[in-house]
């Protein structure tokens, strides 16, 4: 009796991903807005390319009474910095009593992204004030800049 073992090599990063570190300021009372600037590192699972850049986002929507300034860590399914550009929907909740912590989600259409959608998760910490917790949801628009685009897996020669 013989056993056949099939193996295939898959790069360690088979999922598309991007990591973002952001500074965020927000304020509102029924209608609220936010501004956010992020540094982004994105890895493309199709070819191993890595892009590094920044995003600037402004959003407007419904918000419970609050004001805050936070640092945010985000993860998204964007394969490149550019896939984070354009219109997104967002929603978040932050517990506030001088020092705050919260979580949020965001998503938007992108023709180059798998399924035509980029989805993301946000965790934030900072300072702010609200009656107890701040909740907001709305639409945002993001501009992107790519500073560096390289592929550590490709060897020229």
């Amino acid at each position: 009796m013989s056993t056949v073992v099939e193996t295939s090599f898959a790069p360690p990063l088979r999922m598309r991903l991007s990591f973002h570190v952001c500074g965020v300021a927000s304020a509102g009372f029924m209608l609220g807005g936010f501004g956010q600037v992020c540094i982004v590192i994105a890895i493309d699972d199709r070819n191993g390319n890595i892009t590094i850049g920044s995003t600037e986002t402004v959003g407007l929507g419904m918000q419970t009474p609050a004001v805050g300034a936070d640092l945010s860590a985000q993860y998204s399914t964007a394969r490149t910095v550019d896939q984070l550009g354009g219109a997104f929907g967002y929603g978040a909740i932050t517990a506030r009593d001088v020092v705050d912590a919260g979580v949020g989600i965001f998503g938007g259409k992108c023709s180059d992204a798998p399924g035509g959608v980029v989805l993301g998760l946000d965790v934030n910490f900072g300072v702010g004030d609200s009656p107890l917790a701040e909740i907001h949801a709305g639409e945002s628009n993001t501009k992107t800049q790519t500073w560096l685009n390289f592929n550590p897996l490709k060897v020229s020669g």
Side-chain angles (χ1 to χ4, degrees):
M1 174 186 266
S2 67
T3 303
V4 176
V5 177
E6 289 186 28
T7 61
S8 62
F9 173 76
L13 296 173
R14 287 300 302 159
M15 55 190 255
R16 59 204 172 270
L17 55 99
S18 66
F19 297 101
H20 326 213
V21 176
C22 311
V24 185
S26 64
F29 184 85
M30 303 308 278
L31 183 63
F34 76 94
Q36 171 179 280
V37 176
C38 300
I39 305 297
V40 179
I41 299 173
I43 301 170
D44 191 330
D45 67 329
R46 298 171 294 189
N47 56 24
N49 279 354
I50 296 174
T51 55
I52 300 172
S54 64
T55 62
E56 296 83 34
T57 303
V58 292
L60 184 64
M62 301 302 292
Q63 180 175 334
T64 57
V67 62
D70 296 300
L71 288 177
S72 171
Q74 299 177 348
Y75 159 82
S76 80
T77 60
R79 288 174 161 159
T80 66
V81 172
D82 291 342
Q83 287 184 354
L84 294 165
F88 282 80
Y90 65 86
I93 183 168
T94 301
R96 288 208 160 107
D97 186 17
V98 182
V99 175
D100 66 43
V103 295
I105 57 171
F106 58 93
K109 292 183 179 181
C110 175
S111 61
D112 192 36
V117 176
V118 171
L119 299 173
L121 175 66
D122 171 298
V123 177
N124 61 285
F125 298 95
V127 295
D129 193 23
S130 70
L132 177 59
E134 178 266 336
I135 301 170
H136 65 265
E139 284 192 29
S140 63
N141 196 335
T142 302
K143 296 189 184 292
T144 66
Q145 293 79 43
T146 297
W147 306 332
L148 188 59
N149 183 358
F150 64 99
N151 190 325
L153 304 176
K154 289 185 180 175
V155 179
S156 59

